[in-house]
């Protein structure tokens, strides 16, 4: 039994609602998301009222909230204010328990969204890009807002698993292998080279930081410098680099330097946030540049300091799994805006909040600022006894998995074989792909692209259409390797889900046999 205070429950509700909303692909502006955000803010206010704070904590919280509010006012973007709320709401909240709840929510939302997208229940963002080594391919977000978001979302899922289960030794290496295989599956759809490479870098960090027993001071200094280097290179690199070196780096990060340079050379960041006009083919795809403009220079500097001291805090406390997660996400933020936009995927922020209140709890010279103030003096709590029967059921599952490995592998093999048969019989891909000119990176003039209504009926009837809105849509018609890749991808997916279903079926049979055996033993004993 665990004692959980009401203020904890309120913060979990705040965090969980936003985490769930982003996990299922909702975004700011949708009515449902607005309702969820309003409910989340209600729980956050409740949590703050139920928590006692020292005067210096109140001053720190007040300053940060005011800066977040100004950022929202000047930029019209809620991300900074929500990030501040996430950090300042973390007093008296156990990070490990928060991550456990986050993992449950994210697993259901993330994999549920992917499954719904694969079954055609939820729509996906589709793009046709020319990927080196693959030619023209269809990139899919699998229910998320963008294919790049899909890979970052998987990285968050993997990081939460490593944080919650804290794998050790051989189990850690097996887990790394399983999550790498999962990343290959996600890459099949996202086709995000940067996302895939940064995920590999994260796995390398996990192995290095958890397997190396003692690091030197020099190694810790290098780890500490990773975030400042990412931030500095993100902002100074696009402006200072010139010629072939700029072209080389820009190509390596899929034109993100060019996008950042556009804003860094044409728009001056404000102290408290800036109104950024997105359009004309330009967007901000870097977390640090996004933070500089939308949060403003003041909050940008404070969050950079926050990240720096959070990493230092993790290094000095030997929290290596969390350190690997923080460094992995900090590096990935170099090419994706998720750290500081309103995607609510920056799971470093709760640790930053823990670190902030740990530092503020250190006694200072001005004793008057240590006095605690609490609006609600009565400590309300709830005794959590767990979900009835869950512990017993998970124990049975673990027992079955450990004692019947061959049967489970047989179930997986049977499922994959069944999936292969179904895939070969049922998967049929049209020979042509008709894609809206604006959602393809293919460059063409009038002689290259077509008007949809001018296409032959044979092509229209035997094609997969991507973002074709009306008869006047400008389109490209593609065939060959693009449809072959799509067919292979679907067949592999059916095999994977077949294997998962086969494993689930085998476990169900084994659990049923185990229960029946126990009933017979009890009957004979009686």
């Amino acid at each position: 039994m665990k004692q959980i205070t009401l203020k904890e429950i309120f913060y979990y509700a705040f965090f969980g609602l936003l985490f769930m909303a982003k996990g299922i692909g909702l975004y700011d502006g949708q009515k449902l998301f607005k309702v969820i955000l309003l409910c989340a803010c209600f729980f956050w206010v409740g949590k703050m009222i139920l928590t006692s704070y020292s005067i210096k904590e109140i001053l720190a919280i007040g300053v940060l909230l005011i800066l977040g509010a100004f950022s929202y006012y000047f930029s019209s973007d809620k991300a900074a204010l929500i990030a501040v709320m996430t950090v300042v709401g973390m007093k008296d909240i156990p990070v490990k328990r928060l991550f456990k709840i986050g993992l449950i929510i994210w697993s259901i939302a993330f994999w549920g969204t992917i499954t719904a997208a694969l079954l055609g229940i939820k729509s996906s963002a589709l793009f046709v890009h020319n990927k080196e080594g693959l030619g023209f391919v269809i990139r899919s977000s699998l229910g998320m807002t963008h294919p790049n978001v899909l890979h970052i979302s998987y990285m968050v899922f993997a990081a939460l698993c490593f944080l919650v289960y804290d794998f050790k030794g051989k189990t850690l290496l097996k887990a790394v292998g399983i999550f790498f295989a999962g990343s290959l599956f996600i890459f099949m759809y996202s086709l995000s080279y940067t996302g895939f490479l940064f995920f590999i870098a994260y796995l390398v960090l996990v192995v290095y930081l958890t397997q190396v027993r003692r690091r030197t001071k020099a190694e810790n200094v290098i780890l500490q410098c990773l975030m400042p280097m990412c931030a500095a290179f993100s902002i100074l690199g696009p402006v200072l680099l010139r010629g072939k070196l700029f072209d080389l780096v820009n190509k390596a990060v899929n034109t993100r330097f060019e996008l950042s340079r556009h804003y860094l050379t044409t728009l001056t960041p404000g102290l408290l946030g800036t109104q950024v006009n997105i359009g004309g083919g330009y967007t901000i795809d870097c977390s640090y540049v996004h933070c500089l403009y939308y949060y403003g220079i003041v909050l940008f500097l404070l969050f950079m300091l926050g990240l720096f001291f959070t990493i230092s805090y993790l290094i000095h406390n030997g929290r290596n799994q969390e350190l690997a997660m923080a460094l992995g996400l900090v590096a990935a933020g170099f090419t994706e805006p998720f750290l500081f936009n309103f995607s609510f995927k920056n799971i470093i922020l709760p640790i930053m909040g823990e670190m902030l209140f740990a530092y503020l709890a250190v006694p200072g010279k001005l004793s008057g600022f240590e006095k605690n103030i609490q609006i609600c003096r009565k400590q309300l709590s709830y005794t959590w006894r767990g979900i009835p029967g869950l512990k017993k059921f998970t124990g049975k599952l673990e027992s079955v998995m450990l004692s019947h490995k061959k049967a489970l592998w047989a179930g997986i093999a049977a499922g994959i074989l069944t999936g292969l048969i179904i895939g070969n019989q049922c998967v049929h891909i049209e020979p042509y792909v008709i894609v809206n000119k604006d959602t393809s990176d293919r460059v063409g003039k009038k002689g290259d692209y077509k008007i949809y209504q001018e296409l032959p009926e044979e092509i229209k009837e035997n094609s997969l259409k991507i973002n074709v809105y009306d008869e006047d849509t400008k389109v490209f018609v593609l065939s060959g390797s693009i449809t072959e890749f799509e067919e292979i991808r679907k067949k592999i997916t059916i095999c994977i889900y077949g294997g998962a279903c086969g494993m689930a079926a085998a476990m169900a049979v084994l659990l049923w046999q185990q229960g029946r055996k126990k009933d017979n033993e009890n009957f004979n004993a009686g």
Side-chain angles (χ1 to χ4, degrees):
M1 293 188 294
K2 296 176 182 177
Q3 201 76 8
I4 301 178
T5 59
L6 186 60
K7 60 187 175 186
E8 274 187 71
I9 294 171
F10 274 26
Y11 189 84
Y12 297 150
F14 158 74
F15 189 88
L17 281 169
L18 291 178
F19 216 43
M20 177 204 65
K22 289 301 179 178
I24 61 175
L26 297 181
Y27 54 88
D28 194 20
Q30 292 177 306
K31 286 185 179 179
L32 178 57
F33 183 79
K34 288 179 180 178
V35 172
I36 291 172
L37 178 60
L38 191 63
C39 292
C41 289
F42 167 80
F43 284 115
W44 181 85
V45 171
K47 192 275 169 186
M48 301 300 285
I49 290 172
L50 292 170
T51 307
S52 66
Y53 296 99
S54 67
I55 293 174
K56 66 180 179 181
E57 286 172 342
I58 291 171
L59 289 173
I61 291 167
V63 169
L64 288 171
L65 287 174
I66 289 168
L67 289 172
F70 272 119
S71 174
Y72 177 31
Y73 176 78
F74 285 110
S75 69
S76 301
D77 187 85
K78 302 180 184 73
L81 183 57
I82 295 298
V84 168
M85 289 167 66
T86 304
V87 171
V88 302
M90 272 300 294
K91 187 179 180 183
D92 299 336
I93 303 298
V95 171
K96 190 74 177 278
R97 192 180 290 173
L98 177 67
F99 285 154
K100 284 181 180 178
I101 293 168
L103 176 59
I104 294 168
I105 293 169
W106 197 254
S107 298
I108 295 169
F110 177 66
W111 290 109
T113 299
I114 285 177
T115 303
L118 290 170
L119 293 173
I121 299 169
K122 185 174 175 61
S123 60
S124 299
L126 300 175
F127 302 89
V128 173
H129 287 171
N130 188 5
K131 290 289 182 178
E132 289 185 22
L134 297 173
F136 283 99
V137 287
I138 300 171
R139 300 182 65 200
S140 173
S141 69
L142 290 184
M144 303 295 164
T145 52
H146 193 277
N148 292 346
V149 174
L150 172 64
H151 222 111
I152 290 298
S153 298
Y154 177 74
M155 188 172 180
V156 171
F157 166 72
L160 285 170
C161 288
F162 280 106
L163 290 171
V164 170
Y165 292 107
D166 196 19
F167 303 109
K168 304 287 185 184
K170 290 183 179 179
T171 307
L172 172 72
L173 298 178
K174 288 178 182 177
V176 167
I178 290 168
F179 282 106
F180 175 74
S183 184
L184 288 174
F185 170 71
I186 295 296
F187 177 73
M188 254 195 340
Y189 285 91
S190 74
L191 293 163
S192 170
Y193 287 141
T194 52
F196 183 65
L197 290 173
F198 277 117
F199 184 74
I200 292 174
Y202 164 67
L203 292 180
V204 170
L205 279 168
V206 168
V207 174
Y208 163 65
L209 292 173
T210 56
Q211 297 292 87
V212 176
R213 293 189 178 182
R214 185 175 295 177
R215 294 190 302 272
T216 63
K217 287 184 178 180
E219 287 175 296
N220 283 336
V221 168
I222 292 169
L223 294 174
Q224 184 71 72
C225 290
L226 180 62
M227 189 285 299
M229 287 171 60
C230 285
F233 194 53
S234 295
I235 292 167
L236 299 177
V239 178
L240 298 180
L241 295 183
R242 291 286 186 272
K244 290 184 178 180
L245 183 58
F246 175 86
D247 293 337
L248 183 66
V249 176
N250 187 50
K251 185 178 180 181
V253 294
N254 289 331
T255 72
R256 286 172 174 85
F257 258 38
E258 184 181 342
L259 298 174
S260 293
R261 175 185 274 184
H262 169 75
Y263 290 101
L264 290 167
T265 55
T266 61
L267 185 63
T268 303
L271 278 175
L272 300 171
T274 312
Q275 193 84 36
V276 180
N277 295 318
I278 300 296
Y282 289 98
T283 185
I284 297 177
D285 266 351
C286 171
S287 288
Y288 303 102
V289 177
H290 187 281
C291 185
L292 178 64
Y293 280 103
Y294 285 95
Y295 285 42
I297 295 171
V298 177
L299 263 185
F300 168 79
L301 292 174
L302 287 175
F303 270 97
M304 293 306 105
L305 284 171
L307 283 175
F308 182 83
F309 284 112
T310 299
I311 290 168
S312 176
Y313 176 74
L314 295 174
I315 290 172
H316 285 98
N317 286 284
R319 291 163 62 171
N320 293 321
Q321 282 288 8
E322 289 153 304
L323 178 60
M325 175 273 292
L327 293 175
L329 294 187
V330 158
F334 181 68
T335 59
E336 296 296 337
F338 73 98
L339 284 181
F340 298 110
N341 66 8
F342 200 4
S343 67
F344 208 72
K345 294 181 181 69
N346 187 354
I347 54 176
I348 308 172
L349 293 179
I351 303 175
M352 190 186 294
E354 179 195 299
M355 178 272 303
L356 173 67
F357 288 106
Y359 285 161
L360 289 174
V362 176
K365 293 180 179 179
L366 300 174
S367 58
F369 285 89
E370 311 300 328
K371 183 181 178 182
N372 273 357
I373 296 174
Q374 187 170 10
I375 297 173
C376 181
R377 295 187 179 278
K378 188 176 180 181
Q379 285 293 322
L380 304 170
S381 63
Y382 170 73
T383 303
W384 174 251
R385 293 180 173 85
I387 299 171
L390 180 62
K391 192 172 183 179
K392 186 179 178 181
F393 178 71
T394 53
K396 286 181 179 180
L397 279 181
E398 189 175 350
S399 174
V400 165
M401 291 180 74
L402 291 173
S403 58
H404 296 86
K405 290 181 181 179
K406 289 183 179 179
L408 291 175
W409 279 112
I412 291 170
I416 292 173
L417 183 61
T418 304
L420 186 62
I421 294 168
I422 293 171
N424 283 326
Q425 293 296 320
C426 300
V427 172
H428 171 68
I429 303 297
E430 303 293 349
Y432 299 100
V433 173
I434 301 176
V435 57
N436 188 319
K437 180 176 178 289
D438 295 332
T439 50
S440 171
D441 65 359
R442 182 174 177 180
V443 179
K445 297 181 179 179
K446 180 61 185 81
D448 194 6
Y449 70 78
K450 309 289 183 183
I451 305 300
Y452 180 71
Q453 65 180 353
E454 297 174 0
L455 294 176
E457 288 300 320
E458 181 188 354
I459 293 178
K460 287 184 182 180
E461 291 172 4
N462 297 285
S463 62
L464 171 64
K465 300 169 185 65
I466 299 175
N467 301 325
V468 178
Y469 303 118
D470 52 46
E471 293 291 319
D472 296 323
T473 304
K474 296 173 182 178
V475 297
F476 289 120
V477 179
L478 302 168
S479 61
S481 62
I482 188 171
T483 57
E484 291 169 6
F485 182 81
E486 187 68 13
E487 183 176 348
I488 292 168
R489 183 163 68 178
K490 285 186 180 295
K491 287 179 178 179
I492 291 173
T493 301
I494 292 172
C495 287
I496 291 170
Y497 271 80
C501 290
M503 181 179 177
M507 289 186 75
V509 171
L510 290 168
L511 285 169
W512 175 76
Q513 288 178 342
Q514 193 181 69
R516 190 177 177 186
K517 184 180 178 181
K518 192 172 182 180
D519 289 341
N520 290 335
E521 287 173 356
N522 291 336
F523 178 77
N524 293 331

